Amino acid sequence: MRVLGIETSCDETGVAIFDDQQGLMAHAVYSQVDIHAAYGGVVPELASRDHIRKTLPLIRQVLDEAGLDKGSIDGVAYTAGPGLIGALLVGSAIGRSLAWGWKVPAIGVHHMEGHLLAPLLEEPSPQLPFVALLVSGGHTQLVDVTGIGRYRILGESLDDAAGEAFDKTAKLLELPYPGGPELAKLAEHGDPGRFRFPRPMTDRPGLDFSFSGLKTFALNSIKTALAESTDPDQARADIARAFEEAVVDTLVIKCRRALRETGRKRLILAGGVSANRRLRERMSTAIAAEGGEAFYPQPALCTDNGAMIAFAGCQRLRAGQHEPLVFKPRARWPMDHLEAVSSS
């Protein structure tokens, strides 16, 4: 089965074609970073308008790159949620309309299921079952995965997601948008021994997260350090390093705990923050110490993209799932409410 995937949940337009025999045939992403940088964050209405401009040209582009025409597509998958409702409406309307016009089935895909399944696009890919850490700007979740659509939430953030905390702290450090990657770059120049940030909720049982307090701790540290420092640039780098170390340590501690509690030996990391170099290095070492193995998608498939939507949609379309002649985007959509895909 050959599936066209469309991702428009936030500020990146992603389109891809996945074939269950040939693998990923083509994919392209258009980022709106330059549009939103002037505002210091995503402006939902501008995101929706730009998806309208870019989605169809990207569909033509990936069809050309794959050497295909519309008659070669067997199904269409589009992100139906969670995300910005206006952005979701654009992708859902285009995806469902194309499927109707091409007379092929369509499926609305859960954005985080797309991220969760992205490591399966790599070789070697992890075998089920496994524990997944989904870590992005909007979500931080630990999920026990026994099959596609068979998800049990082990823990999640009670306030800010890890990526959100990265972005907010970057803004406190007066870094440009998008803040998370900029903070990670700045942290490379920081002294790891100068500041010590707390590792929230690691001193108690459970697998939930809380990152909002780190933002407050960073704010207080910035005020004090800049008032006392003769080198404010180095002080900012040292705070960035301490913040990153605290988030990474917290995620590693919780992931090790999740593997012990579930008895799993495989961990996957997915979502935009999973591209963080320090997180990958520390997590791989820690999971190996547990006798397990960590898996990651390539960096291009960590951020929002159409490849993960095409792949996830293909799994459901092959199982006979599809949408009626309607589309129903959801700004909020619990992943553990998804229908399971039969293993037969």
Side-chain angles (χ1 to χ4, degrees), residues 108 133 137 184 237 323:
L133 173 66
E323 303 285 356

Side-chain angles (χ1 to χ4, degrees), residues 3 5 18 114 117-118 120-121 148 306-316:
V3 177
F18 176 80
L117 298 179
L120 275 64
L121 284 162
I148 297 176
M308 67 183 192
I309 302 304
F311 178 78
C314 184
Q315 311 314 305
R316 292 186 172 277

Side-chain angles (χ1 to χ4, degrees), residues 79-127:
T79 303
L84 301 176
I85 192 63
L88 292 168
L89 278 166
V90 175
S92 297
I94 292 174
R96 192 63 194 84
S97 298
L98 287 176
W100 178 80
W102 294 348
K103 296 180 172 57
V104 297
I107 188 75
V109 172
H110 192 290
H111 177 74
M112 296 310 295
E113 180 175 60
H115 277 304
L116 187 152
L117 298 179
L120 275 64
L121 284 162
E122 306 293 346
E123 291 292 342
S125 62
Q127 299 296 309

Side-chain angles (χ1 to χ4, degrees), residues 55-331:
T55 303
L56 287 176
L58 280 181
I59 291 171
R60 298 187 189 102
Q61 178 182 326
V62 297
L63 285 170
D64 288 344
E65 289 179 3
L68 302 173
D69 58 29
K70 61 185 182 181
S72 303
I73 300 300
D74 301 311
V76 177
Y78 54 87
T79 303
L84 301 176
I85 192 63
L88 292 168
L89 278 166
V90 175
S92 297
I94 292 174
R96 192 63 194 84
S97 298
L98 287 176
W100 178 80
W102 294 348
K103 296 180 172 57
V104 297
I107 188 75
V109 172
H110 192 290
H111 177 74
M112 296 310 295
E113 180 175 60
H115 277 304
L116 187 152
L117 298 179
L120 275 64
L121 284 162
E122 306 293 346
E123 291 292 342
S125 62
Q127 299 296 309
L128 292 161
F130 51 72
V131 170
L133 173 66
L134 303 179
V135 56
S136 66
H139 299 81
T140 301
Q141 293 180 321
L142 276 165
V143 187
D144 187 33
V145 181
T146 56
I148 297 176
R150 294 180 172 87
Y151 310 131
R152 179 169 64 95
I153 306 299
L154 301 172
E156 56 192 341
S157 182
L158 304 179
D159 40 56
D160 289 354
E164 186 179 5
F166 263 100
D167 290 339
K168 288 180 177 178
T169 303
K171 187 172 290 188
L172 294 175
L173 290 166
E174 300 178 351
L175 297 174
Y177 174 84
E182 294 295 328
L183 187 148
K185 290 179 187 177
L186 182 62
E188 294 293 328
H189 305 287
D191 177 358
R194 182 174 178 186
F195 294 97
R196 170 75 181 181
F197 278 37
R199 276 57 174 165
M201 297 186 69
T202 58
D203 58 349
R204 67 188 74 175
L207 295 170
D208 288 329
F209 302 90
S210 173
F211 294 108
S212 64
L214 284 179
K215 177 190 66 179
T216 304
F217 197 94
L219 175 61
N220 294 331
S221 299
I222 292 167
K223 289 179 178 178
T224 301
L226 295 186
E228 300 174 351
S229 178
T230 57
D231 188 349
D233 290 339
Q234 185 60 50
R236 287 188 177 93
D238 296 342
I239 290 169
R241 179 64 178 269
F243 174 84
E244 184 182 55
E245 292 278 355
V247 173
V248 168
D249 280 354
T250 300
L251 294 173
V252 168
I253 290 167
K254 295 287 186 170
C255 286
R256 293 183 71 171
R257 189 179 294 175
L259 290 182
R260 292 170 184 169
E261 291 187 7
T262 60
R264 308 292 184 214
K265 292 298 183 182
R266 289 177 289 274
L267 175 83
I268 70 153
L269 269 72
V273 180
S274 70
N276 181 280
R277 181 187 62 80
R278 201 177 309 280
L279 175 61
R280 289 185 175 220
E281 292 175 354
R282 194 79 58 80
M283 191 69 76
S284 293
T285 301
I287 300 308
E290 296 288 328
E293 189 174 4
F295 296 84
Y296 319 86
Q298 58 185 273
L301 299 184
C302 290
T303 53
D304 295 350
N305 63 86
M308 67 183 192
I309 302 304
F311 178 78
C314 184
Q315 311 314 305
R316 292 186 172 277
L317 288 169
R318 284 195 311 174
Q321 297 181 16
H322 59 85
E323 303 285 356
L325 194 57
V326 295
F327 55 90
K328 185 181 176 183
R330 306 165 179 87

